[in-house]
Amino acid sequence: MSIREWDQDAIRRDFPVLRREVNGRPLVYLDNAATSQKPVQVIAELTRYYRDYNANIHRGVHTLSQEATAAYEAVRDRVVAFIGARAPEEIVFTRNTTEAINLVAHAYGRAFLQPGDEVVITELEHHSNIVPWQLLRDERGVVLRYVPMLADGTLDMAEARRIIGPRTKLLAVTQMSNALGTIVPVAELAALAHQHGTVVLVDGAQSVPHLPTDVAALGADFLVFSAHKMLGPTGVGVLWARGELLEAMPPFLGGGDMILTVTMEHSTWNAVPHKFEAGTPNIADVIAFGAALDYLAALGMDAVCRHERELLGVALERLATVPGITLYGSADLDARGGVVSFGLEGIHPHDIGQVLDGAGVAIRAGHHCAQPVMQHYGIAATARVSFYLYNTLAEVDALVAAVHEAARFFGRVRV
Ligand code: PLP
């Protein structure tokens, strides 16, 4: 525990939505991999901006604009501290992880990758770390290769060592699978890639909200993540990049704020990171994201991770007792985050989700935007539970009881 003791009741009091009922039962929110809930501190910060100093940033001489600019830029500093970056110039605010990956595919990929160059991704990726590279392949003739996964949902590292080589110009890999919870050894992959001069992008959409992050230790060149999965508002993503890369890359979007000068003939670019933040950014939500970072930093990410791992261990053990259940993912708790993907024999995951919703338990059912993972198992979908810092062992009990109920209910319907 770092600054404050882990006080589960106090934490839950910070999240007003957790007090509500769904279908007459207390809400058990277990869809955190899709988006997290927001504490009062974040909601208050959002309201404070609109109430007290709403103004556009960077261009204003008046007090409100200067206050808004200072608050917005201060969040860049908090991101730097949160991920162990070196300087605020390395932090670009985007709309989300997806936009951050597209930014890299456009600005870095189109400028620095040649036909025949290889981009390596993995079978575990979310669609947002697949499709931008497929688009680049189709447009630029780069070769897209996949490191396969093994049956337990871990990456085939022997294949990774075979596939990543001198032709690999970019490796883009998730640090945690949203579909299975697998934690990928990205530092090892990055070290391997760097032996060949390969640039490494880490998709931290699932890892940064749940694990301590240190970009230097990761060995990444780009790291991307979304505020909304880590207690912050929707509409804010982060691209961290090594400063030299941002300097070398051409802009992604053109418009206001990203320029230094514009004539009718041509334009020159603003300094990084502003070169990559065209137009009015999502000022209010970036500022509120600062409160989310403060909240997580005060708890300590080691403590967050420990808490979720405890819930995961109990959930896996108890769910294994449900008749007809298949649990996907690694049995090694150190190799996975707080995600449980499962199926019940003969029952569509959407039906599981429906029965659980009836019991107030919110989970996700579907392909989780990771269809290659589903294809690996020859299934269309799974039911997915994902934990966060406000979840409790009592909620694991409610989950397990509801899954038993689903198994019984559909078992009865079938006969
Ligand atoms: N990458 C991973 C691993 C994810 O889990 C997600 C979202 O679920 C994304 C990328 C995309 O995030 P966003 O929808 O915030 O852009």
Side-chain angles (χ1 to χ4, degrees), residues 34-63:
T35 199
S36 74
Q37 297 300 342
K38 324 300 175 198
V40 283
Q41 291 84 345
V42 168
I43 299 165
E45 203 61 45
L46 194 60
T47 312
R48 195 162 26 248
Y49 164 75
Y50 282 124
R51 197 189 52 205
D52 295 345
Y53 60 101
N54 170 57
N56 212 330
I57 56 171
H58 293 151
R59 292 177 288 271
V61 289
H62 62 80
T63 301

Side-chain angles (χ1 to χ4, degrees), residues 325-405:
I325 200 164
T326 302
L327 292 164
Y328 298 96
S330 172
D332 176 4
L333 289 197
D334 289 334
R336 64 190 281 176
V339 174
V340 183
S341 239
F342 67 95
L344 289 174
E345 199 190 337
I347 309 173
H348 195 282
H350 283 142
D351 293 331
I352 303 173
Q354 209 82 54
V355 172
L356 265 60
D357 187 56
V361 180
I363 65 159
R364 187 146 292 249
H367 54 58
H368 317 298
C369 296
Q371 288 190 52
V373 173
M374 302 297 120
Q375 287 152 12
H376 182 96
Y377 292 116
I379 53 177
T382 68
R384 183 191 70 187
V385 166
S386 49
F387 298 113
Y388 212 3
L389 47 88
Y390 35 71
N391 291 126
T392 64
L393 285 169
E395 290 184 318
V396 174
D397 287 344
L399 162 75
V400 174
V403 176
H404 270 289
E405 193 180 311

Side-chain angles (χ1 to χ4, degrees), residues 73-376:
E73 290 301 330
V75 179
R76 239 189 268 280
D77 294 326
R78 262 120 100 197
V79 175
V80 166
F82 197 79
I83 63 171
R86 280 176 308 187
E89 290 77 20
E90 298 177 333
I91 308 298
V92 176
F93 289 120
T94 62
R95 275 190 307 146
N96 47 39
T97 299
T98 303
E99 188 178 82
I101 296 172
N102 276 277
L103 190 164
V104 175
H106 275 258
Y108 183 85
R110 279 164 182 74
F112 296 108
L113 300 184
Q114 311 299 329
D117 284 349
E118 292 183 1
V119 172
V120 173
I121 61 175
T122 83
E123 204 178 351
L124 280 173
E125 302 309 314
H126 186 281
H127 297 164
S128 63
N129 199 27
I130 300 175
V131 183
W133 307 114
Q134 290 179 339
L135 290 171
L136 186 69
R137 175 199 61 195
D138 296 346
E139 187 189 312
R140 288 296 161 102
V142 299
V143 176
L144 186 56
R145 302 188 69 185
Y146 292 78
V147 177
M149 56 185 269
L150 299 169
D152 69 351
T154 59
L155 216 53
D156 187 335
M157 291 300 284
E159 274 299 293
R161 280 185 281 276
R162 207 183 56 75
I163 290 171
I164 298 166
R167 276 197 296 270
T168 315
K169 296 297 177 236
L170 192 136
L171 169 70
V173 59
T174 187
Q175 192 181 5
M176 192 195 293
S177 154
N178 67 309
L180 300 171
T182 311
I183 295 175
V184 174
V186 281
E188 195 181 330
L189 287 170
L192 179 64
H194 285 154
Q195 285 171 16
H196 302 287
T198 305
V199 166
V200 178
L201 179 144
V202 173
D203 175 356
Q206 294 298 335
S207 55
V208 176
H210 301 281
L211 306 174
T213 302
D214 175 359
V215 284
L218 272 185
D221 300 293
F222 296 106
L223 173 72
V224 296
F225 53 100
S226 294
H228 71 93
K229 293 183 195 288
M230 49 192 295
L231 311 183
T234 52
V236 178
V238 173
L239 164 65
W240 167 84
R242 278 198 295 111
E244 316 83 271
L245 288 171
L246 288 182
E247 292 290 351
M249 283 155 57
F252 172 41
L253 301 173
D257 228 28
M258 52 74 72
I259 50 82
L260 205 54
T261 61
V262 177
T263 66
M264 295 214 285
E265 287 73 37
H266 72 275
S267 307
T268 59
W269 313 138
N270 201 345
V272 295
H274 308 294
K275 182 170 83 175
F276 294 103
E277 292 183 8
T280 301
N282 190 348
I283 305 164
D285 291 311
V286 167
I287 290 172
F289 178 40
L293 291 167
D294 290 348
Y295 195 96
L296 290 170
L299 281 176
M301 293 307 294
D302 280 319
V304 169
C305 181
R306 257 199 317 274
H307 175 72
E308 291 176 24
R309 206 154 268 174
E310 184 189 348
L311 298 178
L312 174 71
V314 175
L316 283 175
E317 201 179 300
R318 302 212 26 221
L319 284 171
T321 64
V322 178
I325 200 164
T326 302
L327 292 164
Y328 298 96
S330 172
D332 176 4
L333 289 197
D334 289 334
R336 64 190 281 176
V339 174
V340 183
S341 239
F342 67 95
L344 289 174
E345 199 190 337
I347 309 173
H348 195 282
H350 283 142
D351 293 331
I352 303 173
Q354 209 82 54
V355 172
L356 265 60
D357 187 56
V361 180
I363 65 159
R364 187 146 292 249
H367 54 58
H368 317 298
C369 296
Q371 288 190 52
V373 173
M374 302 297 120
Q375 287 152 12
H376 182 96

